[in-house]
Amino acid sequence: MRKTFGTGSVWEQTLGYSRAVQVDDTLYISATAASGEDGIVGDDFYTQTRYILQKLGTVLAEAGFSFGDVVQSKLYLTDISKWEDAGRAHGEVFGDIRPTLALVHVLPFLDPKMLVEIELVAQKGSN
C-alpha cells in the first residue's frame, strides 16, 4: 500500500514531491523547514528546530503515527557549530524515544533565513 500526504504547498506541486509517503507500515517524511504562514519562524537553531518538530508532529498524526513511531531523524544544519541548540530541541521530543540520528552540515537553503531542515522516518509497531 502506498499513500501520499501533502500540505497544499506550491513547492510540492512545482517540484513534484509529497510532504510524506506511507508504504505499508512505514512513513517517510520529506525534509521540512520552519516555514509558517508569514515566512520563516524563528531566527535561531533552537526555535526553528522546535517549530519544525511541531509541524512534523502534525504530519505524523495526520498519517496515524506518533513521535514514538519515529525510527530515524536527520537534521540538516547550515551552521554545524549550532548543533547543540538544534540538538536540545530535538532531545526535548526524542529523549526517551531515541531514534537514529544524523546531523548533516549543509550549504544555505533556498531561503537564507532557513537554518534547519528535518527529515523523519517512522514505522508502526516500533514503540
Side-chain angles (χ1 to χ4, degrees), residues 44-103:
D44 63 82
F45 285 79
Y46 175 81
T47 303
Q48 286 195 16
T49 301
R50 253 186 52 182
Y51 182 79
I52 294 166
L53 289 169
Q54 290 170 354
K55 284 177 63 172
L56 293 176
T58 301
V59 173
L60 288 162
E62 287 175 358
F65 289 76
S66 71
F67 282 121
D69 296 315
V70 173
V71 295
Q72 184 178 59
S73 180
K74 295 179 183 176
L75 274 68
Y76 301 96
L77 309 174
T78 58
D79 182 350
I80 200 68
S81 74
K82 302 296 185 184
W83 70 270
E84 289 179 280
D85 297 332
R88 182 167 45 97
H90 187 272
E92 289 170 2
V93 172
F94 291 112
D96 292 331
I97 300 165
R98 301 188 56 181
T100 64
L101 173 66
L103 291 172

Side-chain angles (χ1 to χ4, degrees), residues 18 32 35 60 66 74 78 114 118:
S18 297
T32 301
S35 55
L60 288 162
S66 71
K74 295 179 183 176
T78 58
M114 293 168 47
I118 301 174

